[in-house]
Amino acid sequence: MTSGATGGHGDRGDGQEDPEHEEKDRGGQRTHGAHGRPPTPRERWEAFKQSPYFPAVVLVFILAAAAGLFAGSYTYAMANPTPHRIPAAVVEGPRSPYATEFVKGMDEALDASLELHRYPDGAAARAALEEQKVFVILRSEGDGVLMQVAGASGASVAQLLGDTGVKVADTIGVQLTVKDVKPLGEGDPRGLALFYISLAAVIIGFVGAIQLSVHARALLPLERILFTLGYALLGGFTIAAVVDWGLGALDLPFVQSWMILAFTMFTSGMVFTMFNTLMGRWAMIPTWGVMVLLGNPSSGGAVSWPLLPSLLGHVGRWLPPGASVNAQHTAVYYQGHQYVFPYLVLGAWALVSCTVFWVWRHRHPGGRDRMPEHAAAAT
């Protein structure tokens, strides 16, 4: 019954086994050809790479490294903020006897980090403060010194300047008056709310793109871009509504803040989509590195840029999280003094990401042309 004309593996066609295919193992049981020999190390490695264990093992090490890098990047940037360069306005004109000595003492106490800009009068100095060119105004007032800080430019910087000014004034015996001429909102006394809403837009932006790649893999390239824009618009509206209307933490210029948040979410989502096109399943690594490990600590949201390590203070403005924080910060606290730079940064990242995705869309793991026939039919 089993020795028909077609034969089996190792059958010569006459019902007898071909001795070239017949081997015996140590137990005396028959094995057949290559199926009987143990796999070589190369074959074992190739089989391991094709198994689900390979990416799982790689992810174990990646996640462990990411945990350490995540903690390290935030600790490095925020645990011990140190002044590096603080632009300060000094008003020329009549000065109290201690004014020059106070400015010199401030510079020494801050380890020569004050970058002095001299203005002819208080109005010119205040205009520079409104345009965010300086963080503090120093001027004579009677026999003492007036220090005008801007909490909205950075609560950490304003607190550092105020605390240092009091110590210097006590040392040289001068009367000091500190005024916050640009305070933060009552619902956000530490100035962290803008950082948090920008952080939410960044994280949900690329997490949304990840979910589209998992649960809506069959989307065509244009459909993927449009759905990314869709959840960005709706998500940005939700963030602004919860923080402003729901919690009252910020008095947002609602439409402008909504559009900034949506722009941030869309850019973040397309950054992941770009890396997914270029790197496939490992796209999360560069996305997390650019947007979270480097972008968020250097954004200036939690610690203002004059107190960040100098390299981070410069790099952060060119990344989407920093651009988002800067755009929101100016929109909320410096209406009438808008800068186009943060919008250009977000636009450049979004444009490059969309272009890379579109040009190399055939490499993206999604699309209906890559789905199994039964799945495509179901879709």
Side-chain angles (χ1 to χ4, degrees), residues 23 31-41 43-44:
E23 298 177 0
T31 58
H32 299 276
H35 296 282
R37 65 175 175 79
T40 65
E43 290 172 340
R44 290 181 184 274

Side-chain angles (χ1 to χ4, degrees), residues 327-344:
Q328 288 286 4
H329 182 256
T330 304
V332 174
Y333 292 112
Y334 293 92
Q335 285 288 332
H337 299 277
Q338 299 287 317
Y339 287 98
V340 71
F341 178 73
Y343 300 95
L344 291 178

